[in-house]
């Protein structure tokens, strides 16, 4: 834990709608070490993005962090000025680059905005040109004057990476950075992120529903479902020693290149209604191993190693 750049403890975030309270993040705890890539995986609505937005205070007017502690470099993030941290110390790549970029402002203006906000010491224009070249968009001088609609989807995602990296953050949160991109561009974007991480030594939180992306890029993996952490461990522990029925179900539902003829088995049923979440385990209605205790009580955390744990009643000694 001493090496942790980010430590999240028992985070609870709810969104208050006309239909009631949506418990999007319900007791999430994890840490990110300096220089490592933490992959967060799970179905849509599992609380991946909501957890990250809560950390940065971007949960919106309808959202509220009800409880929990977030430590950044050992300091409680609530004692820090989030306006000063966002973009400078912690940066985020959002899911859809087209909606994240302002269509009426040039790419150059938007790239330089963070530098101006955080009082960059040096030539702002030169830094913007450098980052655009770094992400492979050339000629940078000319393209800085262009607008988002003049770029392809892959190029806009590269611009978002440049914007996130321009102030040299210590932690980068990449929320589905390759969504809606073809596989060739996806590989290029992930390779670019790896290169920038290697050069800067920053930590990365990679949010995705794609287990293939996680397998090729994450050092440790956090599996989320229904606003809870179901399992966490190193990449090898998760892919070769998954202990939670949900993690096992995810792995069975995606192609395995080592066993190309193996039949894929989808997870039956639907994710839980977070307006009325289950009293016990959130996975209880879809779990093939569900027991009576799973309906009534939250599962205990089972520790398999210093890095591997899962939240389940299976394997608990009476």
């Amino acid at each position: 834990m001493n090496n942790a750049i980010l430590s999240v403890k028992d985070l609870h975030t709810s969104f208050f709608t006309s239909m009631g309270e949506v418990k999007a993040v319900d007791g999430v705890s994890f840490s990110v070490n300096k220089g490592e890539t933490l992959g967060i995986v799970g179905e849509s609505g599992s609380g991946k993005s909501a957890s990250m937005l809560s950390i940065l205070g971007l949960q919106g007017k309808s959202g509220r962090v009800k409880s929990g502690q977030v430590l950044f470099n050992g300091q409680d993030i609530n004692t820090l000025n989030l306006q000063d941290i966002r973009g400078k110390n912690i940066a985020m790549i959002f899911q859809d680059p087209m909606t994240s970029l302002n269509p009426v402002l040039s790419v150059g203006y938007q790239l330089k905005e963070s530098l101006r906000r955080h009082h960059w010491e040096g030539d702002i224009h030169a830094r913007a040109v450098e980052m655009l070249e770094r992400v492979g968009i050339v000629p940078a001088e000319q393209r800085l004057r262009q607008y988002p609609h003049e770029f392809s989807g892959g190029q806009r995602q590269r611009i978002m990476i440049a914007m996130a990296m321009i102030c040299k953050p210590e932690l980068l949160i990449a929320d589905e950075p390759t969504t809606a991109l073809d596989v060739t561009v996806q590989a290029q974007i992930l390779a670019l992120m790896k290169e920038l991480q290697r050069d800067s030594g920053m930590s990365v939180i990679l949010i995705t529903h794609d287990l293939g992306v996680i397998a090729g890029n994450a050092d440790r993996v956090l599996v989320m479902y229904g606003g809870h952490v179901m399992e966490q461990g190193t990449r090898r522990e998760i892919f070769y020693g998954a202990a939670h029925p949900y993690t096992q179900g995810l792995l069975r539902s995606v192609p395995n290149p080592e066993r190309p003829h193996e039949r894929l088995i989808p997870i039956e049923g639907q994710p839980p209604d977070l307006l009325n979440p289950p009293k016990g385990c959130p996975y209880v209605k879809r779990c093939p191993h569900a027991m009576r205790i799973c309906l009534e009580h939250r599962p205990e955390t089972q520790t398999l190693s210093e890095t591997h744990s899962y939240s389940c009643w299976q394997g608990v000694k009476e």
Side-chain angles (χ1 to χ4, degrees):
M1 190 63 72
N2 293 333
N3 194 36
I5 189 171
L6 182 74
S7 179
V8 178
K9 301 176 182 178
D10 198 27
L11 183 66
H12 293 257
T13 299
S14 290
F15 292 88
F16 295 88
T17 70
S18 58
M19 297 180 68
E21 179 184 353
V22 178
K23 296 180 179 179
V25 183
D26 198 6
V28 167
S29 299
F30 66 91
S31 64
V32 185
N33 295 322
K34 294 177 181 177
E36 84 165 343
T37 297
L38 175 70
I40 302 182
V41 68
E43 295 173 76
S44 296
S46 60
K48 306 184 302 294
S49 298
S51 298
M52 298 305 107
L53 293 173
S54 301
I55 290 168
L56 292 173
L58 296 174
Q59 68 273 7
K61 292 181 180 179
S62 65
R64 189 171 82 234
V65 178
K66 298 177 70 178
S67 62
Q69 185 183 49
V70 179
L71 302 178
F72 180 67
N73 278 328
Q75 288 185 280
D76 190 328
I77 206 164
N78 289 325
T79 66
L80 305 173
N81 188 334
L82 286 175
Q83 293 281 0
D84 291 337
I85 290 175
R86 290 195 293 253
K88 182 180 180 181
N89 303 100
I90 305 176
M92 187 165 182
I93 302 171
F94 296 95
Q95 286 190 33
D96 187 351
M98 195 65 244
T99 57
S100 300
L101 292 168
N102 192 321
V104 300
L105 297 176
S106 70
V107 163
Y109 182 91
Q110 295 180 70
L111 271 171
K112 296 173 186 177
E113 190 172 19
S114 185
L115 295 171
R116 290 190 292 265
R117 172 65 181 82
H118 297 294
H119 309 293
W120 178 260
E121 294 180 5
D123 189 324
I124 289 178
H125 181 75
R127 177 63 177 166
V129 170
E130 176 193 351
M131 283 307 302
L132 214 55
E133 289 177 342
R134 193 74 198 279
V135 298
I137 297 180
V138 291
E141 284 279 3
Q142 176 185 330
R143 307 224 70 181
L144 281 174
R145 297 191 291 271
Q146 294 181 318
Y147 291 81
H149 72 272
E150 298 178 80
F151 295 84
S152 68
Q155 288 174 327
R156 288 195 292 265
Q157 194 64 285
R158 288 171 181 268
I159 291 167
M160 290 302 298
I161 292 173
M163 289 177 66
M165 295 291 297
I166 202 163
C167 288
K168 299 181 178 179
E170 298 171 71
L171 174 63
L172 176 67
I173 300 171
D175 190 357
E176 303 279 8
T178 57
T179 296
L181 300 178
D182 62 60
V183 290
T184 304
V185 177
Q186 180 185 87
Q188 292 172 350
I189 294 295
L190 292 170
L192 172 62
M193 288 179 58
K194 271 188 175 180
E195 179 188 340
L196 293 170
Q197 181 184 18
R198 185 170 59 248
D199 293 347
S200 66
M202 69 178 176
S203 304
V204 175
I205 297 176
L206 180 59
I207 304 170
T208 182
H209 60 268
D210 190 331
L211 286 171
V213 170
I214 291 292
N217 295 273
D219 299 308
R220 287 192 302 116
V221 184
L222 199 76
V223 181
M224 290 190 65
Y225 182 82
H228 298 260
V229 175
M230 296 285 100
E231 187 168 359
Q232 56 182 308
T234 64
R235 178 175 54 192
R236 175 165 288 277
E237 287 169 337
I238 295 298
F239 281 91
Y240 293 99
H244 197 284
Y246 176 61
T247 311
Q248 294 168 354
L250 283 180
L251 293 171
R252 285 194 297 267
S253 67
V254 296
N256 186 339
E258 296 179 3
R259 296 191 290 271
H261 303 295
E262 188 174 74
R263 179 174 175 266
L264 301 184
I265 304 172
I267 300 176
E268 296 182 0
Q270 297 295 322
D273 178 7
L274 297 183
L275 280 166
N276 297 289
K279 185 178 178 182
C281 176
Y283 190 56
V284 64
K285 291 186 178 180
R286 304 172 77 185
C287 182
H289 309 292
M291 302 175 287
R292 184 176 297 176
I293 192 173
C294 304
L295 287 166
E296 296 296 326
H297 301 282
R298 283 280 181 87
E300 295 180 358
T301 299
Q302 309 299 313
T303 302
L304 299 176
S305 72
E306 288 185 3
T307 54
H308 192 188
S309 63
Y310 68 107
S311 182
C312 185
W313 284 114
Q314 256 192 312
V316 177
K317 293 180 181 180
E318 294 183 4

